[in-house]
């Protein structure tokens, strides 16, 4: 059985309560009528009690019936309506009901005084007794508390929904930022290769006298097509650059971010005090530029997370360049007690000291952090990594393991690998070549 719109209590719970309210109203009306069922008071009170079920849809009609029962000496249905109006913030209706209820007692008071009856007997006790004002005050107090609690819960639900939407937007922003990073990096690499192609074709053009005319025509076509491709590439992806133009009006040279040596990254982490046991296998030079970019980002993100959340924990780094796939695995162990451990100096080539006994395993980091140079912060680094790995057709896994944290990725190697970066040395400066 569904509750009506706006109903705070399920109907299957409220219906038995209304039956109890009707029985109490009949007893109250029977007492105020002088102990007879021939008086309409008990039955008006019962009708008003059952009508309370519709107070969410026909509140004013229910209030009229409750006031009619008050006029007959039955006040319980009115208490329900006072609570309802106060909890819903309908203060105008609440004050109108109170005023009418007070005015309804004037005729009975006048009749009792004219007949010389006691004001503490009969129907007039509905207004002269102390019990009903106390019950009315209690109903108003409970209504105000319920209304405040309802508004608080609505505000909290609104905040939770706002936080959910904000988190989704930030996650989408992290994915977009990672896509832009990939586009910038591939723009640098492709621009460099097109520049090399134009350079070599230019050298061939200088020796055109010794070449057949058909070959010279093909070389001219190749150089012109490469220049047009470079211009189109800059037009599409050039807006993604974050570097501002220099004072001379030229865009400054960009260092290829994909080709920073992985050993340098591990050496920097060891210099920062991390215990790192690394193993790199396979031919990195034969891997595609996009794979080396992804490996560098994965290792850097994992080391940053371990340094932030488990700074004294030993870290194991395993990288294998395929085929059939490039795999990365970074695992940090339980946190070592900082009082018992002093981080060694950087030792990229030397053995890593064994850590002392560890304390109870710690939980995994709740929010992995981004590198310091990332555009976003607040635990969205893994979202960007997942976007990058997914773009390469791979799989990313992160989770707790043995009191520490594990990050692993598998990037399948395509049979055709035209993007191999063997001709780009680490730290290569990519000039911005323009074709006239």
């Amino acid at each position: 059985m569904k509750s009506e719109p706006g109903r705070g209590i399920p109907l299957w719970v409220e219906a038995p309560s209304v039956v109890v309210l009707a029985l109490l109203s009949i007893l109250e009306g029977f007492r105020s009528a002088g102990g007879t069922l021939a008086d309409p008071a008990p039955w008006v009170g019962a009708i008003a009690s059952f009508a309370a079920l519709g107070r969410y849809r026909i509140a004013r009609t229910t209030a009229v019936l409750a006031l009619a029962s008050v006029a007959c000496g039955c006040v319980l249905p009115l208490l329900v309506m006072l609570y309802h109006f106060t909890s819903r913030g309908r203060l105008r209706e609440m004050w109108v009901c109170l005023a009418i209820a007070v005015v309804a007692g004037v005729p009975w008071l006048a009749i009792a005084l004219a007949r010389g009856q006691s004001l503490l007997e009969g129907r007039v006790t509905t207004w002269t007794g102390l019990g009903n004002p106390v019950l009315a005050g209690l109903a108003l107090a409970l209504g105000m508390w319920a209304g405040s609690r309802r508004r608080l819960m609505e505000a909290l639900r609104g905040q939770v929904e706002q936080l959910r939407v904000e988190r989704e937007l930030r996650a989408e922003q992290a994915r977009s930022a990672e896509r832009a990073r990939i586009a910038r990096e591939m723009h640098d690499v492709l621009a460099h290769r097109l520049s090399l192609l134009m350079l070599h074709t230019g050298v061939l053009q200088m020796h055109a006298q010794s070449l057949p005319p058909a070959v010279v025509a093909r070389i001219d076509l190749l150089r012109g097509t490469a220049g047009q491709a470079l211009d189109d590439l800059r037009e599409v992806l050039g807006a993604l650059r974050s570097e501002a133009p220099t004072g001379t009006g030229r865009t400054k040279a960009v260092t290829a971010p994909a080709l920073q040596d992985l050993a340098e990254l591990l050496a920097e982490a060891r210099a920062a005090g991390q215990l790192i046991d690394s193993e790199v296998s396979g031919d990195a030079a034969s891997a595609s530029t996009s794979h080396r970019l992804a490996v560098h980002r994965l290792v850097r993100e994992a080391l940053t997370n371990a340094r932030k959340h488990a700074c004294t924990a030993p870290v194991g780094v395993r990288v294998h360049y395929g085929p059939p796939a490039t795999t990365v695995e970074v695992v940090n162990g339980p946190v070592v007690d900082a009082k018992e451990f002093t981080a060694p100096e950087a030792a990229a080539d030397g053995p890593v000291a064994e850590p002392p006994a560890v304390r109870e395993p710690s939980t995994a980091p709740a929010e992995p952090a981004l590198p310091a140079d990332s555009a976003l912060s607040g635990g969205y680094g893994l979202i960007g990594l997942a976007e990058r790995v997914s773009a390469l057709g791979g799989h990313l896994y992160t989770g707790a393991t043995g009191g520490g944290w594990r990050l692993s990725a598998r990037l399948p190697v395509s049979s055709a690998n035209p993007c191999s970066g063997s001709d780009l040395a680490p730290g290569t400066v990519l000039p911005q070549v323009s074709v006239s």
Side-chain angles (χ1 to χ4, degrees):
M1 183 180 296
K2 297 182 179 179
S3 60
E4 297 178 1
R7 185 178 295 276
I9 303 175
L11 189 60
W12 64 270
V13 173
E14 192 169 0
S17 303
V18 169
V19 173
V20 174
L21 178 64
L23 294 176
L24 293 177
S25 298
I26 291 175
L27 292 177
E28 184 183 15
F30 181 78
R31 181 190 59 81
S32 63
T36 176
L37 293 176
D39 193 272
W43 312 115
V44 173
I47 294 173
S49 298
F50 284 112
L53 286 173
R55 65 186 182 277
Y56 294 95
R57 293 182 178 271
I58 49 173
R60 294 184 177 179
T61 303
T62 307
V64 170
L65 293 175
L67 292 173
S69 68
V70 170
C72 295
C74 183
V75 76
L76 291 180
L78 178 64
L79 298 179
V80 175
M81 294 308 302
L82 291 178
Y83 170 84
H84 174 75
F85 285 140
T86 307
S87 64
R88 296 287 167 168
R90 302 172 64 173
L91 300 182
R92 179 179 300 177
E93 288 88 340
M94 182 268 294
W95 287 115
V96 170
C97 287
L98 277 179
I100 294 176
V102 171
V103 172
V106 173
W108 295 107
L109 183 62
I111 293 173
L113 293 176
R115 294 179 178 180
Q117 297 178 354
S118 173
L119 298 180
L120 300 179
E121 297 178 358
R123 206 183 305 268
V124 74
T125 57
T126 303
W127 293 270
T128 58
L130 297 178
N132 290 334
V134 172
L135 292 176
L138 181 61
L140 295 176
L142 289 176
M144 288 187 289
W145 173 82
S148 299
R149 184 178 180 275
R150 180 179 292 106
R151 289 187 291 270
L152 175 62
M153 296 302 296
E154 290 176 354
L156 291 177
R157 281 193 292 268
Q159 292 179 3
V160 170
E161 179 65 18
Q162 181 179 358
L163 291 176
R164 184 189 66 80
V165 174
E166 181 181 353
R167 183 176 181 85
E168 291 179 355
L169 292 177
R170 287 177 63 86
E172 181 61 30
Q173 184 181 4
R175 286 189 286 267
S176 300
E178 192 66 24
R179 296 190 194 108
R181 183 196 296 268
I182 296 172
R184 288 194 299 266
E185 292 167 350
M186 297 312 298
H187 171 267
D188 293 337
V189 174
L190 293 177
H192 174 75
R193 300 193 189 288
L194 290 174
S195 301
L196 289 178
L197 179 60
M198 294 172 60
L199 178 64
H200 289 299
T201 53
V203 172
L204 291 176
Q205 284 180 333
M206 294 176 62
H207 301 80
Q209 296 81 1
S210 61
L211 297 175
V215 176
V216 174
R218 294 294 181 182
I219 292 175
D220 293 339
L221 177 62
L222 183 61
R223 180 177 175 85
T225 303
Q228 292 176 2
L230 184 60
D231 292 339
D232 293 341
L233 180 65
R234 287 191 183 135
E235 183 180 353
V236 174
L237 300 179
L240 295 174
R241 287 189 173 277
S242 59
E243 293 80 15
T246 60
T248 60
R250 298 180 180 179
T251 304
K252 57 185 179 180
V254 183
T255 302
L259 303 176
Q260 181 182 358
D261 190 46
L262 188 60
E264 295 180 5
L265 176 64
L266 297 175
E268 292 175 359
R270 289 189 177 103
Q274 285 187 278
L275 279 174
I276 299 177
D277 178 19
S278 61
E279 178 182 342
V280 181
S281 59
D283 187 7
S286 65
S288 65
T289 303
S290 57
H291 277 210
R292 285 188 285 169
L293 272 167
V295 169
H296 188 274
R297 288 278 288 121
L298 286 164
V299 174
R300 183 176 62 175
E301 182 72 22
L303 292 179
T304 301
N305 289 346
R307 184 163 57 248
K308 179 178 180 180
H309 300 285
C311 59
T312 61
V315 182
V317 179
R318 303 289 182 270
V319 178
H320 174 71
Y321 295 97
T326 299
T327 58
V328 179
E329 183 179 34
V330 183
V331 181
N332 66 271
V335 179
V336 178
D337 194 341
K339 296 181 180 179
E340 302 177 5
F341 166 70
T342 301
E345 297 296 331
D349 299 328
V352 179
E354 289 293 331
V358 299
R359 51 190 171 91
E360 291 295 327
S362 62
T363 58
E367 286 288 339
L370 282 171
D373 61 344
S374 183
L376 295 174
S377 61
Y380 292 89
L382 293 182
I383 296 178
L385 292 183
E387 182 69 23
R388 181 183 290 265
V389 172
S390 177
L392 296 175
H395 302 280
L396 176 67
Y397 169 81
T398 58
T401 173
W405 190 260
R406 176 173 176 260
L407 180 148
S408 63
R410 185 180 187 276
L411 307 173
V413 176
S414 175
S415 57
N417 193 7
C419 297
S420 175
S422 58
D423 56 338
L424 254 64
T428 300
V429 175
L430 304 181
Q432 303 302 313
V433 179
S434 60
V435 180
S436 57

